[in-house]
Amino acid sequence: MAAEPHPPGHDNFFDTDSLDTDLLVIGGGPAGCAAARTAASVGMRSILIEPDALCRNLYRIPALNNVLGGHTDGTALATAITTELHGTELCRIELGRYAAELRASDDRATVTLDNGRHLAAPYAVVATGLGPLQPRNTPWITSPSPLPLPPLWRAEAEETEGRTLLVLGGDRPIGTFLRAHPDTDTRLLVAYPASDDYKVEEIRDDPRVTLLPVDHLTLHPPNTTSATAEVLDRHGERRTVRADATFLSIGSAPTAPPGDLVRTPSGYCPPTSQHPRIIVAGDLRSPRFQRIMTALGSGSEAALRAYYATRDLPTGDAP
C-alpha cells in the first residue's frame, strides 16, 4: 500500500535510498505535469525531472482550438498547468536536470541524472516526448559544429525583426511561425530536401519566404554575427548562402533517455513493451495520437497505474 503523505518539510521526503518517493516523472510537458498532479491527488510523492522549462513546447502554439478549459493559445494553457503544478506540495520539480539513464529492477526504477545523482522510486513515468532533429540526424546536411541548433519556434519576433534567417528543413512549424507573426519583416531562407517538397506548399506564396530546394547543404562554422552555408541545388550547381542566424525545421524525433526503455526502430517506446516499473506517457508512445488532450489524459492514467500497482490492486477492479 502507498505510504501516507508526509507533511511539507519532512526530512525523509525524496530520500532516494529509502524509496520515500513514490513516483519519478521524467519530462515536464503536458503528460509529465498531468502525471505529477494526478499522483499528488491520490497522495503519491513524486519528483519531476525536466531539463528546460515546464510545458516549454506549448509556448510555441499561438492558437488552440482542441483543448478543454477555454484556453485559446499555448501560453495561457502552459501558464495554467505550471501554476497549478508549482502549487502541488507533493511534487518536487527538478528543473535544469535531465535523465542520463533509466534502469528498472524487480522493486524499483532508478534514474541517474546528468550530474551523477541517483533517484529511485517504485515506478517511473517517462514522458519526454519529442525533440528537434539536429543536422547530424539528416544525411543532406553537413555541419562542423557539435552544438545543437535551435528550432524555429524558439525564434522571438522581437529578436529576428528585420533579419534574415536560414531555416534548415521545410517542416510545418515554419507556417506556424509566419502566422504567429503576421506583421514581422523577418526574411526566411528555407533550404529543404526533396522529401519536404509537399510541406512547403503552405508557405510558398509568402513574400517573406525564399525557397531553396537542395540536394545537400554544408554549414560553415558559426560565428556571432552571421551564418553561412554552401548549397548544392538539385541542378548540381553550388552557391553560398548568408544569413544572420540559423534555425531548424527538419522535424522531431522521440527523446527517450538511455537505459532500459524498449524502443521501436523509429525511437518510440510502446507502453505495452516496457518493464513493469516503467510507464510511458504522452507523445513518446507513438506518432498516432500526438495531441495535447491525449498527452494530458495519458499522463494522468500513467500515474493512476502506478498508484493501483503500489496497492496490488488490478486497474480493472479499482474503486
Side-chain angles (χ1 to χ4, degrees), residues 72-114:
T72 58
D73 62 80
T75 298
L77 178 59
T79 300
I81 292 173
T82 57
T83 298
E84 183 165 348
L85 193 60
H86 279 297
T88 302
E89 291 185 346
L90 291 181
C91 176
R92 171 177 166 181
I93 303 172
E94 288 271 355
L95 292 182
R97 300 263 70 96
Y98 67 86
E101 185 179 61
L102 171 64
R103 294 296 178 187
S105 61
D106 289 343
D107 63 346
R108 70 184 66 184
T110 303
V111 171
T112 302
L113 299 181
D114 56 299

mmCIF file of all heavy atoms in Angstrom, residues 72-114:
data_model
loop_
_atom_site.group_PDB
_atom_site.id
_atom_site.type_symbol
_atom_site.label_atom_id
_atom_site.label_comp_id
_atom_site.label_asym_id
_atom_site.label_seq_id
_atom_site.Cartn_x
_atom_site.Cartn_y
_atom_site.Cartn_z
ATOM 1 N N THR A 72 -7.195 29.544 -25.382
ATOM 2 C CA THR A 72 -7.156 29.784 -26.825
ATOM 3 C C THR A 72 -5.742 29.869 -27.380
ATOM 4 O O THR A 72 -5.564 30.033 -28.586
ATOM 5 C CB THR A 72 -7.901 31.084 -27.159
ATOM 6 O OG1 THR A 72 -7.308 32.171 -26.437
ATOM 7 C CG2 THR A 72 -9.381 30.969 -26.780
ATOM 8 N N ASP A 73 -4.733 29.801 -26.522
ATOM 9 C CA ASP A 73 -3.352 29.771 -27.015
ATOM 10 C C ASP A 73 -2.499 28.955 -26.064
ATOM 11 O O ASP A 73 -2.867 28.708 -24.906
ATOM 12 C CB ASP A 73 -2.783 31.192 -27.168
ATOM 13 C CG ASP A 73 -2.722 31.941 -25.855
ATOM 14 O OD1 ASP A 73 -1.774 31.696 -25.073
ATOM 15 O OD2 ASP A 73 -3.604 32.777 -25.597
ATOM 16 N N GLY A 74 -1.341 28.522 -26.570
ATOM 17 C CA GLY A 74 -0.475 27.647 -25.796
ATOM 18 C C GLY A 74 0.082 28.294 -24.549
ATOM 19 O O GLY A 74 0.248 27.626 -23.519
ATOM 20 N N THR A 75 0.367 29.588 -24.612
ATOM 21 C CA THR A 75 0.926 30.270 -23.449
ATOM 22 C C THR A 75 -0.034 30.244 -22.279
ATOM 23 O O THR A 75 0.360 29.999 -21.131
ATOM 24 C CB THR A 75 1.293 31.719 -23.811
ATOM 25 O OG1 THR A 75 2.300 31.707 -24.828
ATOM 26 C CG2 THR A 75 1.809 32.473 -22.598
ATOM 27 N N ALA A 76 -1.313 30.510 -22.541
ATOM 28 C CA ALA A 76 -2.310 30.506 -21.470
ATOM 29 C C ALA A 76 -2.432 29.121 -20.851
ATOM 30 O O ALA A 76 -2.514 28.979 -19.620
ATOM 31 C CB ALA A 76 -3.655 30.980 -22.008
ATOM 32 N N LEU A 77 -2.463 28.094 -21.686
ATOM 33 C CA LEU A 77 -2.577 26.732 -21.163
ATOM 34 C C LEU A 77 -1.332 26.353 -20.380
ATOM 35 O O LEU A 77 -1.431 25.773 -19.288
ATOM 36 C CB LEU A 77 -2.801 25.755 -22.311
ATOM 37 C CG LEU A 77 -2.899 24.274 -21.913
ATOM 38 C CD1 LEU A 77 -4.033 24.049 -20.939
ATOM 39 C CD2 LEU A 77 -3.075 23.409 -23.167
ATOM 40 N N ALA A 78 -0.151 26.665 -20.905
ATOM 41 C CA ALA A 78 1.093 26.341 -20.204
ATOM 42 C C ALA A 78 1.153 27.043 -18.851
ATOM 43 O O ALA A 78 1.576 26.455 -17.847
ATOM 44 C CB ALA A 78 2.296 26.738 -21.055
ATOM 45 N N THR A 79 0.742 28.301 -18.816
ATOM 46 C CA THR A 79 0.752 29.053 -17.560
ATOM 47 C C THR A 79 -0.176 28.416 -16.534
ATOM 48 O O THR A 79 0.159 28.291 -15.354
ATOM 49 C CB THR A 79 0.355 30.510 -17.812
ATOM 50 O OG1 THR A 79 1.295 31.100 -18.723
ATOM 51 C CG2 THR A 79 0.346 31.304 -16.513
ATOM 52 N N ALA A 80 -1.362 28.005 -16.991
ATOM 53 C CA ALA A 80 -2.317 27.382 -16.072
ATOM 54 C C ALA A 80 -1.767 26.068 -15.518
ATOM 55 O O ALA A 80 -1.875 25.792 -14.314
ATOM 56 C CB ALA A 80 -3.642 27.141 -16.791
ATOM 57 N N ILE A 81 -1.170 25.255 -16.379
ATOM 58 C CA ILE A 81 -0.634 23.962 -15.940
ATOM 59 C C ILE A 81 0.520 24.154 -14.963
ATOM 60 O O ILE A 81 0.574 23.529 -13.899
ATOM 61 C CB ILE A 81 -0.179 23.130 -17.155
ATOM 62 C CG1 ILE A 81 -1.377 22.706 -17.992
ATOM 63 C CG2 ILE A 81 0.610 21.895 -16.696
ATOM 64 C CD1 ILE A 81 -1.008 22.021 -19.297
ATOM 65 N N THR A 82 1.467 25.015 -15.313
ATOM 66 C CA THR A 82 2.654 25.179 -14.469
ATOM 67 C C THR A 82 2.319 25.844 -13.144
ATOM 68 O O THR A 82 2.903 25.511 -12.114
ATOM 69 C CB THR A 82 3.728 25.987 -15.207
ATOM 70 O OG1 THR A 82 3.200 27.258 -15.601
ATOM 71 C CG2 THR A 82 4.201 25.245 -16.441
ATOM 72 N N THR A 83 1.378 26.771 -13.156
ATOM 73 C CA THR A 83 0.976 27.416 -11.908
ATOM 74 C C THR A 83 0.394 26.398 -10.938
ATOM 75 O O THR A 83 0.720 26.384 -9.747
ATOM 76 C CB THR A 83 -0.047 28.528 -12.178
ATOM 77 O OG1 THR A 83 0.561 29.531 -12.995
ATOM 78 C CG2 THR A 83 -0.522 29.161 -10.879
ATOM 79 N N GLU A 84 -0.457 25.534 -11.460
ATOM 80 C CA GLU A 84 -1.062 24.517 -10.601
ATOM 81 C C GLU A 84 -0.020 23.538 -10.083
ATOM 82 O O GLU A 84 -0.042 23.147 -8.917
ATOM 83 C CB GLU A 84 -2.166 23.778 -11.354
ATOM 84 C CG GLU A 84 -2.886 22.753 -10.487
ATOM 85 C CD GLU A 84 -4.196 22.295 -11.094
ATOM 86 O OE1 GLU A 84 -4.667 22.921 -12.061
ATOM 87 O OE2 GLU A 84 -4.750 21.301 -10.588
ATOM 88 N N LEU A 85 0.908 23.144 -10.964
ATOM 89 C CA LEU A 85 1.905 22.163 -10.539
ATOM 90 C C LEU A 85 2.857 22.757 -9.498
ATOM 91 O O LEU A 85 3.252 22.075 -8.544
ATOM 92 C CB LEU A 85 2.689 21.653 -11.739
ATOM 93 C CG LEU A 85 3.527 20.400 -11.470
ATOM 94 C CD1 LEU A 85 2.656 19.246 -11.035
ATOM 95 C CD2 LEU A 85 4.335 20.013 -12.696
ATOM 96 N N HIS A 86 3.253 24.007 -9.662
ATOM 97 C CA HIS A 86 4.136 24.639 -8.678
ATOM 98 C C HIS A 86 3.466 24.737 -7.306
ATOM 99 O O HIS A 86 4.161 24.817 -6.284
ATOM 100 C CB HIS A 86 4.552 26.028 -9.155
ATOM 101 C CG HIS A 86 5.685 26.004 -10.138
ATOM 102 N ND1 HIS A 86 6.949 25.525 -9.829
ATOM 103 C CD2 HIS A 86 5.747 26.401 -11.446
ATOM 104 C CE1 HIS A 86 7.738 25.625 -10.884
ATOM 105 N NE2 HIS A 86 7.045 26.146 -11.880
ATOM 106 N N GLY A 87 2.148 24.722 -7.283
ATOM 107 C CA GLY A 87 1.443 24.759 -6.009
ATOM 108 C C GLY A 87 1.136 23.392 -5.433
ATOM 109 O O GLY A 87 0.443 23.285 -4.424
ATOM 110 N N THR A 88 1.660 22.340 -6.053
ATOM 111 C CA THR A 88 1.411 20.971 -5.608
ATOM 112 C C THR A 88 2.508 20.548 -4.638
ATOM 113 O O THR A 88 3.642 20.306 -5.042
ATOM 114 C CB THR A 88 1.367 20.016 -6.817
ATOM 115 O OG1 THR A 88 0.352 20.453 -7.714
ATOM 116 C CG2 THR A 88 1.078 18.599 -6.376
ATOM 117 N N GLU A 89 2.192 20.464 -3.359
ATOM 118 C CA GLU A 89 3.209 20.230 -2.333
ATOM 119 C C GLU A 89 3.856 18.854 -2.431
ATOM 120 O O GLU A 89 5.001 18.677 -2.015
ATOM 121 C CB GLU A 89 2.597 20.407 -0.943
ATOM 122 C CG GLU A 89 2.219 21.841 -0.616
ATOM 123 C CD GLU A 89 1.729 21.990 0.804
ATOM 124 O OE1 GLU A 89 1.435 20.950 1.440
ATOM 125 O OE2 GLU A 89 1.637 23.132 1.281
ATOM 126 N N LEU A 90 3.152 17.877 -2.968
ATOM 127 C CA LEU A 90 3.698 16.523 -3.011
ATOM 128 C C LEU A 90 4.568 16.273 -4.244
ATOM 129 O O LEU A 90 5.014 15.150 -4.467
ATOM 130 C CB LEU A 90 2.566 15.489 -2.969
ATOM 131 C CG LEU A 90 1.817 15.408 -1.639
ATOM 132 C CD1 LEU A 90 0.734 14.349 -1.709
ATOM 133 C CD2 LEU A 90 2.773 15.126 -0.493
ATOM 134 N N CYS A 91 4.809 17.314 -5.039
ATOM 135 C CA CYS A 91 5.672 17.165 -6.201
ATOM 136 C C CYS A 91 6.883 18.074 -6.065
ATOM 137 O O CYS A 91 6.753 19.281 -5.871
ATOM 138 C CB CYS A 91 4.921 17.519 -7.483
ATOM 139 S SG CYS A 91 5.966 17.480 -8.963
ATOM 140 N N ARG A 92 8.057 17.481 -6.161
ATOM 141 C CA ARG A 92 9.296 18.259 -6.206
ATOM 142 C C ARG A 92 9.745 18.354 -7.665
ATOM 143 O O ARG A 92 9.830 17.345 -8.365
ATOM 144 C CB ARG A 92 10.373 17.570 -5.376
ATOM 145 C CG ARG A 92 11.756 18.194 -5.538
ATOM 146 C CD ARG A 92 12.730 17.493 -4.633
ATOM 147 N NE ARG A 92 14.112 17.801 -4.951
ATOM 148 C CZ ARG A 92 15.163 17.289 -4.314
ATOM 149 N NH1 ARG A 92 14.970 16.438 -3.315
ATOM 150 N NH2 ARG A 92 16.384 17.615 -4.659
ATOM 151 N N ILE A 93 10.004 19.560 -8.117
ATOM 152 C CA ILE A 93 10.346 19.798 -9.516
ATOM 153 C C ILE A 93 11.840 20.033 -9.644
ATOM 154 O O ILE A 93 12.396 20.940 -9.027
ATOM 155 C CB ILE A 93 9.563 21.001 -10.073
ATOM 156 C CG1 ILE A 93 8.061 20.780 -9.912
ATOM 157 C CG2 ILE A 93 9.916 21.233 -11.541
ATOM 158 C CD1 ILE A 93 7.232 21.988 -10.266
ATOM 159 N N GLU A 94 12.504 19.188 -10.435
ATOM 160 C CA GLU A 94 13.939 19.292 -10.695
ATOM 161 C C GLU A 94 14.135 19.889 -12.090
ATOM 162 O O GLU A 94 14.198 19.166 -13.092
ATOM 163 C CB GLU A 94 14.597 17.917 -10.607
ATOM 164 C CG GLU A 94 14.706 17.360 -9.203
ATOM 165 C CD GLU A 94 16.005 17.784 -8.516
ATOM 166 O OE1 GLU A 94 16.839 18.427 -9.173
ATOM 167 O OE2 GLU A 94 16.154 17.464 -7.326
ATOM 168 N N LEU A 95 14.207 21.214 -12.186
ATOM 169 C CA LEU A 95 14.449 21.865 -13.461
ATOM 170 C C LEU A 95 15.942 21.958 -13.733
ATOM 171 O O LEU A 95 16.756 22.014 -12.813
ATOM 172 C CB LEU A 95 13.835 23.271 -13.473
ATOM 173 C CG LEU A 95 12.308 23.361 -13.440
ATOM 174 C CD1 LEU A 95 11.873 24.807 -13.518
ATOM 175 C CD2 LEU A 95 11.675 22.554 -14.564
ATOM 176 N N GLY A 96 16.300 21.997 -15.006
ATOM 177 C CA GLY A 96 17.703 22.112 -15.376
ATOM 178 C C GLY A 96 18.479 20.814 -15.279
ATOM 179 O O GLY A 96 19.695 20.806 -15.409
ATOM 180 N N ARG A 97 17.783 19.715 -15.088
ATOM 181 C CA ARG A 97 18.415 18.393 -14.999
ATOM 182 C C ARG A 97 17.756 17.468 -16.014
ATOM 183 O O ARG A 97 16.569 17.602 -16.313
ATOM 184 C CB ARG A 97 18.252 17.794 -13.601
ATOM 185 C CG ARG A 97 18.857 18.600 -12.468
ATOM 186 C CD ARG A 97 20.248 18.073 -12.113
ATOM 187 N NE ARG A 97 21.254 18.337 -13.118
ATOM 188 C CZ ARG A 97 22.087 19.394 -13.071
ATOM 189 N NH1 ARG A 97 22.002 20.271 -12.099
ATOM 190 N NH2 ARG A 97 23.003 19.541 -14.017
ATOM 191 N N TYR A 98 18.523 16.536 -16.544
ATOM 192 C CA TYR A 98 17.918 15.559 -17.436
ATOM 193 C C TYR A 98 18.330 14.155 -17.022
ATOM 194 O O TYR A 98 19.336 13.958 -16.325
ATOM 195 C CB TYR A 98 18.281 15.821 -18.901
ATOM 196 C CG TYR A 98 19.740 15.629 -19.254
ATOM 197 C CD1 TYR A 98 20.239 14.369 -19.600
ATOM 198 C CD2 TYR A 98 20.620 16.708 -19.265
ATOM 199 C CE1 TYR A 98 21.571 14.194 -19.936
ATOM 200 C CE2 TYR A 98 21.951 16.546 -19.604
ATOM 201 C CZ TYR A 98 22.420 15.287 -19.942
ATOM 202 O OH TYR A 98 23.737 15.124 -20.270
ATOM 203 N N ALA A 99 17.532 13.189 -17.448
ATOM 204 C CA ALA A 99 17.792 11.793 -17.110
ATOM 205 C C ALA A 99 18.853 11.243 -18.045
ATOM 206 O O ALA A 99 18.616 11.061 -19.242
ATOM 207 C CB ALA A 99 16.505 10.978 -17.216
ATOM 208 N N ALA A 100 20.040 10.983 -17.505
ATOM 209 C CA ALA A 100 21.126 10.415 -18.307
ATOM 210 C C ALA A 100 20.953 8.917 -18.495
ATOM 211 O O ALA A 100 21.468 8.346 -19.466
ATOM 212 C CB ALA A 100 22.476 10.707 -17.648
ATOM 213 N N GLU A 101 20.205 8.279 -17.580
ATOM 214 C CA GLU A 101 19.991 6.839 -17.692
ATOM 215 C C GLU A 101 18.790 6.449 -16.852
ATOM 216 O O GLU A 101 18.566 6.994 -15.769
ATOM 217 C CB GLU A 101 21.228 6.062 -17.230
ATOM 218 C CG GLU A 101 21.126 4.561 -17.428
ATOM 219 C CD GLU A 101 22.390 3.846 -16.980
ATOM 220 O OE1 GLU A 101 22.735 3.939 -15.785
ATOM 221 O OE2 GLU A 101 23.031 3.202 -17.824
ATOM 222 N N LEU A 102 18.016 5.497 -17.349
ATOM 223 C CA LEU A 102 16.881 4.943 -16.618
ATOM 224 C C LEU A 102 17.038 3.435 -16.546
ATOM 225 O O LEU A 102 17.193 2.774 -17.577
ATOM 226 C CB LEU A 102 15.567 5.304 -17.314
ATOM 227 C CG LEU A 102 14.304 4.613 -16.776
ATOM 228 C CD1 LEU A 102 14.021 5.019 -15.336
ATOM 229 C CD2 LEU A 102 13.109 4.924 -17.671
ATOM 230 N N ARG A 103 17.005 2.915 -15.323
ATOM 231 C CA ARG A 103 17.103 1.475 -15.122
ATOM 232 C C ARG A 103 15.912 0.987 -14.307
ATOM 233 O O ARG A 103 15.372 1.715 -13.481
ATOM 234 C CB ARG A 103 18.403 1.110 -14.393
ATOM 235 C CG ARG A 103 19.673 1.400 -15.195
ATOM 236 C CD ARG A 103 19.746 0.552 -16.447
ATOM 237 N NE ARG A 103 20.934 0.843 -17.250
ATOM 238 C CZ ARG A 103 21.144 0.332 -18.457
ATOM 239 N NH1 ARG A 103 20.262 -0.511 -18.987
ATOM 240 N NH2 ARG A 103 22.233 0.646 -19.138
ATOM 241 N N ALA A 104 15.524 -0.249 -14.561
ATOM 242 C CA ALA A 104 14.410 -0.858 -13.829
ATOM 243 C C ALA A 104 14.839 -2.210 -13.289
ATOM 244 O O ALA A 104 15.521 -2.982 -13.973
ATOM 245 C CB ALA A 104 13.203 -1.018 -14.740
ATOM 246 N N SER A 105 14.438 -2.490 -12.043
ATOM 247 C CA SER A 105 14.712 -3.782 -11.412
ATOM 248 C C SER A 105 13.401 -4.339 -10.878
ATOM 249 O O SER A 105 12.325 -3.797 -11.138
ATOM 250 C CB SER A 105 15.743 -3.610 -10.291
ATOM 251 O OG SER A 105 15.249 -2.733 -9.296
ATOM 252 N N ASP A 106 13.486 -5.397 -10.110
ATOM 253 C CA ASP A 106 12.266 -6.040 -9.624
ATOM 254 C C ASP A 106 11.439 -5.122 -8.738
ATOM 255 O O ASP A 106 10.208 -5.213 -8.728
ATOM 256 C CB ASP A 106 12.609 -7.315 -8.853
ATOM 257 C CG ASP A 106 13.106 -8.424 -9.756
ATOM 258 O OD1 ASP A 106 12.882 -8.335 -10.981
ATOM 259 O OD2 ASP A 106 13.725 -9.369 -9.235
ATOM 260 N N ASP A 107 12.103 -4.238 -7.972
ATOM 261 C CA ASP A 107 11.355 -3.465 -6.979
ATOM 262 C C ASP A 107 11.422 -1.958 -7.167
ATOM 263 O O ASP A 107 10.849 -1.214 -6.376
ATOM 264 C CB ASP A 107 11.844 -3.804 -5.564
ATOM 265 C CG ASP A 107 13.304 -3.427 -5.346
ATOM 266 O OD1 ASP A 107 14.008 -3.155 -6.355
ATOM 267 O OD2 ASP A 107 13.739 -3.391 -4.183
ATOM 268 N N ARG A 108 12.116 -1.476 -8.196
ATOM 269 C CA ARG A 108 12.248 -0.033 -8.314
ATOM 270 C C ARG A 108 12.667 0.385 -9.719
ATOM 271 O O ARG A 108 13.153 -0.425 -10.508
ATOM 272 C CB ARG A 108 13.275 0.499 -7.314
ATOM 273 C CG ARG A 108 14.721 0.119 -7.638
ATOM 274 C CD ARG A 108 15.676 0.588 -6.564
ATOM 275 N NE ARG A 108 15.441 -0.100 -5.302
ATOM 276 C CZ ARG A 108 16.085 0.178 -4.167
ATOM 277 N NH1 ARG A 108 16.968 1.162 -4.144
ATOM 278 N NH2 ARG A 108 15.833 -0.497 -3.075
ATOM 279 N N ALA A 109 12.486 1.676 -9.961
ATOM 280 C CA ALA A 109 13.054 2.330 -11.134
ATOM 281 C C ALA A 109 14.064 3.341 -10.633
ATOM 282 O O ALA A 109 13.822 4.034 -9.635
ATOM 283 C CB ALA A 109 11.968 3.025 -11.949
ATOM 284 N N THR A 110 15.211 3.411 -11.298
ATOM 285 C CA THR A 110 16.287 4.297 -10.862
ATOM 286 C C THR A 110 16.701 5.202 -12.020
ATOM 287 O O THR A 110 16.953 4.726 -13.127
ATOM 288 C CB THR A 110 17.501 3.504 -10.367
ATOM 289 O OG1 THR A 110 17.103 2.639 -9.306
ATOM 290 C CG2 THR A 110 18.594 4.451 -9.872
ATOM 291 N N VAL A 111 16.764 6.490 -11.734
ATOM 292 C CA VAL A 111 17.200 7.475 -12.720
ATOM 293 C C VAL A 111 18.537 8.040 -12.276
ATOM 294 O O VAL A 111 18.701 8.443 -11.121
ATOM 295 C CB VAL A 111 16.174 8.614 -12.859
ATOM 296 C CG1 VAL A 111 16.740 9.746 -13.713
ATOM 297 C CG2 VAL A 111 14.890 8.091 -13.472
ATOM 298 N N THR A 112 19.488 8.046 -13.198
ATOM 299 C CA THR A 112 20.751 8.746 -12.986
ATOM 300 C C THR A 112 20.667 10.081 -13.702
ATOM 301 O O THR A 112 20.434 10.118 -14.914
ATOM 302 C CB THR A 112 21.938 7.941 -13.526
ATOM 303 O OG1 THR A 112 21.965 6.661 -12.876
ATOM 304 C CG2 THR A 112 23.250 8.668 -13.260
ATOM 305 N N LEU A 113 20.835 11.172 -12.953
ATOM 306 C CA LEU A 113 20.772 12.499 -13.546
ATOM 307 C C LEU A 113 22.096 12.853 -14.203
ATOM 308 O O LEU A 113 23.112 12.184 -13.999
ATOM 309 C CB LEU A 113 20.422 13.535 -12.476
ATOM 310 C CG LEU A 113 19.081 13.355 -11.762
ATOM 311 C CD1 LEU A 113 18.875 14.471 -10.749
ATOM 312 C CD2 LEU A 113 17.934 13.309 -12.751
ATOM 313 N N ASP A 114 22.086 13.919 -14.978
ATOM 314 C CA ASP A 114 23.300 14.329 -15.688
ATOM 315 C C ASP A 114 24.407 14.759 -14.741
ATOM 316 O O ASP A 114 25.580 14.784 -15.126
ATOM 317 C CB ASP A 114 22.978 15.456 -16.667
ATOM 318 C CG ASP A 114 22.334 16.647 -15.987
ATOM 319 O OD1 ASP A 114 21.235 16.503 -15.399
ATOM 320 O OD2 ASP A 114 22.901 17.749 -16.046
#
